Amino acid sequence: MRARTLGSTGPTVSALGLGAMGMSDLYGPADEAESIATVHAALDAGVTLIDTADFYGSGHNEMLIRDALRSRDRDQVVLSVKFGSRRDPSGAFQPVPTDVDPSAVKDRLAFTLRRLGTDHVDIYRPARLNPNVPIEDTVGAIAEMVQAGHVRHIGLSEVGAQTLRRAADVHPISDLQFEYSLLSRGIEAEILPTARELGIGVTAYGVLSRGLLSGHWSAERELTAGDFRGISPRFQGDNLAANLALVEALRQVAEGLKASVAQVAIAWVASRGEDIVPLVGARRRDRLAESLAAADLVLSPADLTAIEQAVPAGSASGTRYAEVFLKTMDSER
């Protein structure tokens, strides 16, 4: 697989990364053995970037990755970890503020290192900000962990342009993690240009819009308890019907390219720039193989025009998160 470098100061990683969240959480039950086999298949295919968070499955995801990497060379893998979100024993997310003050940075990193079975995290980033904790304090605390050798690079997630500038004044930022897909293009107006000005890469999550752009979703699909999509506006009622109509339009383009809907959606994100690394959230080997084939799909200018005519910017029905979550996101202010 081809490689891309995360910004001017970040690591070189595979052109597509693996997002591991769904193997532990938020998308319904997953098979642990299949999840580990999927991680192995990704590594065998040349994927070097794995993204997780300490709150995915309340630590389960980190331990699953640890188990998957036991038979592999740790130094060949770039582990990206988010922290800060809080949960209770039932799995429910706790209200903000998130744990991103300097003492929490060091405490949560200590647990992450133990669960992952490693002495360092390659990229460490707050998942969301705490309005009561200046970004300078959070980044400064992670910078101390860089100096101590426990963290290699500092990343951010879902922050606005001004916060990105303030953070970069404290320490080089390798990459900004942000939802970016044909249905979610808010990053393009101000945040992406600012990241590029500052030499900060982008790891794009939600490239299939949580399954909407997979080409496998249907209006009849029943969601299990705890599936995040049960409260996602884009999966509700008329919104879902309108969004699936966009998917069908995209399917027509994909068929002309002899590709799947998912492959076209992923390749479109990858085409946005060499500084963008899409994260694919496959939980099974067959879905992984489909997604990784997008790395070989070359889109011509005519192809890109057809794709964006099928799914125009701003055409998604419903917001990307429920309002209760959007209110807490620095990137939405």
Side-chain angles (χ1 to χ4, degrees):
M1 182 177 291
R2 293 185 296 275
R4 292 184 171 184
T5 300
L6 293 177
S8 59
T9 64
T12 297
V13 299
S14 50
L16 297 178
L18 178 66
M21 180 186 77
M23 297 178 180
S24 300
D25 216 359
L26 297 176
Y27 289 161
D31 180 271
E32 188 162 314
E34 179 62 21
S35 294
I36 290 175
T38 300
V39 174
H40 288 166
L43 297 174
D44 291 341
V47 172
T48 61
L49 174 64
I50 299 178
D51 182 76
T52 183
D54 64 6
F55 50 87
Y56 290 168
S58 298
H60 173 269
N61 203 243
E62 290 178 324
M63 293 187 287
L64 184 148
I65 291 171
R66 174 200 63 200
D67 292 345
L69 295 182
R70 278 197 170 119
S71 61
R72 302 302 176 111
D73 184 351
R74 162 67 181 91
D75 292 334
Q76 298 302 308
V77 180
V78 174
L79 291 177
S80 169
V81 179
K82 293 183 292 296
F83 72 95
S85 294
R86 301 184 298 172
R87 306 182 76 167
D88 66 22
S90 74
F93 282 88
Q94 297 299 288
V96 292
T98 51
D99 288 332
V100 295
D101 63 82
S103 61
V105 167
K106 298 170 185 178
D107 177 71
R108 295 185 71 139
L109 177 60
F111 281 95
T112 280
L113 294 174
R114 177 61 63 92
R115 284 190 293 261
L116 284 171
T118 185
D119 63 354
H120 72 279
V121 167
D122 297 285
I123 309 172
Y124 201 51
R125 71 183 84 239
R128 299 289 184 268
L129 300 189
N130 182 330
N132 301 317
V133 180
I135 187 63
E136 291 86 352
D137 292 356
T138 301
V139 171
I142 304 175
E144 291 180 17
M145 296 296 91
V146 173
Q147 288 289 89
H150 301 307
V151 172
R152 297 284 169 81
H153 303 277
I154 300 177
L156 293 172
S157 177
E158 289 286 353
V159 302
Q162 294 309 308
T163 300
L164 201 56
R165 291 185 187 281
R166 289 168 53 198
D169 283 343
V170 176
H171 189 277
I173 304 298
S174 64
D175 66 303
L176 170 64
Q177 196 169 106
F178 209 96
E179 182 174 3
Y180 192 20
S181 74
L182 280 164
L183 295 178
S184 298
R185 298 179 62 173
I187 189 176
E188 294 176 341
E190 182 182 12
I191 297 172
L192 181 56
T194 300
R196 285 175 167 160
E197 175 192 335
L198 298 172
I200 296 171
V202 170
T203 42
Y205 76 90
V207 294
L208 295 182
S209 198
R210 299 176 178 82
L212 268 179
L213 291 170
S214 69
H216 303 294
W217 201 270
S218 72
E220 293 73 35
R221 179 166 174 172
E222 294 186 5
L223 298 175
T224 57
D227 192 313
F228 168 83
R229 293 165 292 199
I231 61 169
S232 173
R234 290 182 178 171
F235 287 83
Q236 310 305 313
D238 292 342
N239 285 346
L240 177 59
N243 291 328
L244 288 178
L246 294 173
V247 173
E248 290 311 305
L250 184 61
R251 194 186 305 276
Q252 297 301 311
V253 178
E255 288 175 353
L257 294 171
K258 295 182 171 54
S260 72
V261 173
Q263 288 163 357
V264 171
I266 295 167
W268 179 87
V269 176
S271 76
R272 300 298 84 194
E274 289 292 319
D275 53 350
I276 296 174
V277 175
L279 299 172
V280 297
R283 302 190 291 172
R284 299 182 347 222
R285 283 168 286 181
D286 58 338
R287 292 285 193 258
L288 175 74
E290 178 187 11
S291 293
L292 294 187
D296 297 321
L297 182 58
V298 179
L299 300 174
S300 70
D303 296 333
L304 293 171
T305 296
I307 290 168
E308 296 191 21
Q309 286 176 342
V311 188
S315 61
S317 292
T319 54
R320 62 194 184 102
Y321 283 95
E323 185 63 29
V324 66
F325 296 115
L326 288 176
K327 289 191 303 185
T328 69
M329 295 169 64
D330 184 75
S331 54
E332 295 291 325
R333 293 174 186 163

